[in-house]
Amino acid sequence: MSRLQVAVIDYGMGNLRSVANAFKAVAPDIAIAVTSDPAVIADAERVVFPGQGAMPDCIRELDARNLRQAVMAATSTKPFLGICIGLQMLFEHSEEGDVSGLGVYPGEVKRFPVDRMIDAQGGKMKVPHMGWSQVHQTHAHEMWAGIPDQSRFYYVHSYYVAPTEGALTAATTAYPFDYTCAIARDNVFAVQFHPEKSAEAGLQLLRNFVNWKP
C-alpha cells in the first residue's frame, strides 16, 4: 500500500470532514484520511490539524486520545498545516480558559478586547469575528502561490494569536486592528481562517499545501 499522503487529525472536535472533502476536491488522486491513530499520523507524509471550539477542550482531547506526542512530532518533521484552533494551540498560553498550549512557538492567544472593537465610523464590532476579511501577506511564501495579496478568507473566532516573535507572522487581518492571521516557520504553516470555507482562495491554499516541499 502506498504511504498516506495527508492525515487530518481527528481529536473529536471541528469540521473535519469538510476539510478532508476540500482536499479531495483539489487533489482527488492522493490518499487522505481522517484519523486519531498516532501511528497513522506518524507515518503520513503531511499532517493537517483543523478545528473549531475552545482551547481547553482541544488540549484535553489531545491528551485523552494520546495525540500530543504525534502532533508535536509532526510540527518538527513534516509539512504541517494548522487551521483555526490548529494555529492557536501552537502557542504557549491562551486567555481562553487560562490554559497552556503546546508551546511550539512563544506567544499568547488573546480575546478580542471589547474596548478596541470599534470600526472607523465609531460603531461597535461583533465578537466573534465571523465572516469574510482580507488577508495581507506580510512576506512571500510558497503557500501563498497563486493567491493574490488582500484575498478574502472566511473567519469564525473570538481569540487571536499574538506571537512574541514578529518573524513568525506570514499574514495579518484587520478587525479592527491588525493581528496575526497566519504564521510560517520551516515546515509549519498555520492560519486563523478556514480555507475549506474560503472559496477559490482557500482551495488554492490547500492545493499549495499538497505540493509544498519545505
Side-chain angles (χ1 to χ4, degrees), residues 188-211:
V188 173
F189 195 89
V191 297
Q192 183 62 63
F193 52 78
H194 288 270
E196 76 279 10
K197 299 179 180 178
S198 296
E200 182 51 40
L203 293 178
Q204 182 61 41
L205 191 87
L206 300 183
R207 192 176 293 117
N208 290 343
F209 179 68
V210 169
N211 295 311

Side-chain angles (χ1 to χ4, degrees), residues 62-82:
L62 271 183
D63 289 336
R65 295 163 186 259
N66 297 313
L67 288 169
R68 182 186 287 251
Q69 185 175 349
V71 171
M72 293 295 288
T75 63
S76 62
T77 60
K78 61 189 70 183
F80 181 96
L81 175 63

Side-chain angles (χ1 to χ4, degrees), residues 73-154:
T75 63
S76 62
T77 60
K78 61 189 70 183
F80 181 96
L81 175 63
I83 298 172
C84 196
I85 202 78
L87 163 67
Q88 295 179 6
M89 69 166 189
L90 297 175
F91 289 85
E92 294 169 308
H93 180 264
S94 176
E95 291 182 351
E96 185 176 25
D98 187 24
V99 296
S100 297
L102 298 181
V104 178
Y105 304 115
E108 292 274 324
V109 180
K110 298 177 176 289
R111 183 172 174 82
F112 283 114
V114 173
D115 60 342
R116 295 185 65 188
M117 304 311 293
I118 307 296
D119 65 22
Q121 291 72 43
K124 281 189 173 184
M125 300 181 71
K126 293 181 179 180
V127 177
H129 172 202
M130 184 180 298
W132 296 81
S133 290
Q134 287 181 310
V135 168
H136 169 59
Q137 301 168 18
T138 56
H139 60 77
H141 194 281
E142 293 163 276
M143 287 288 288
W144 295 132
I147 302 172
D149 190 23
Q150 306 298 340
S151 292
R152 296 171 71 85
F153 288 83
Y154 187 80

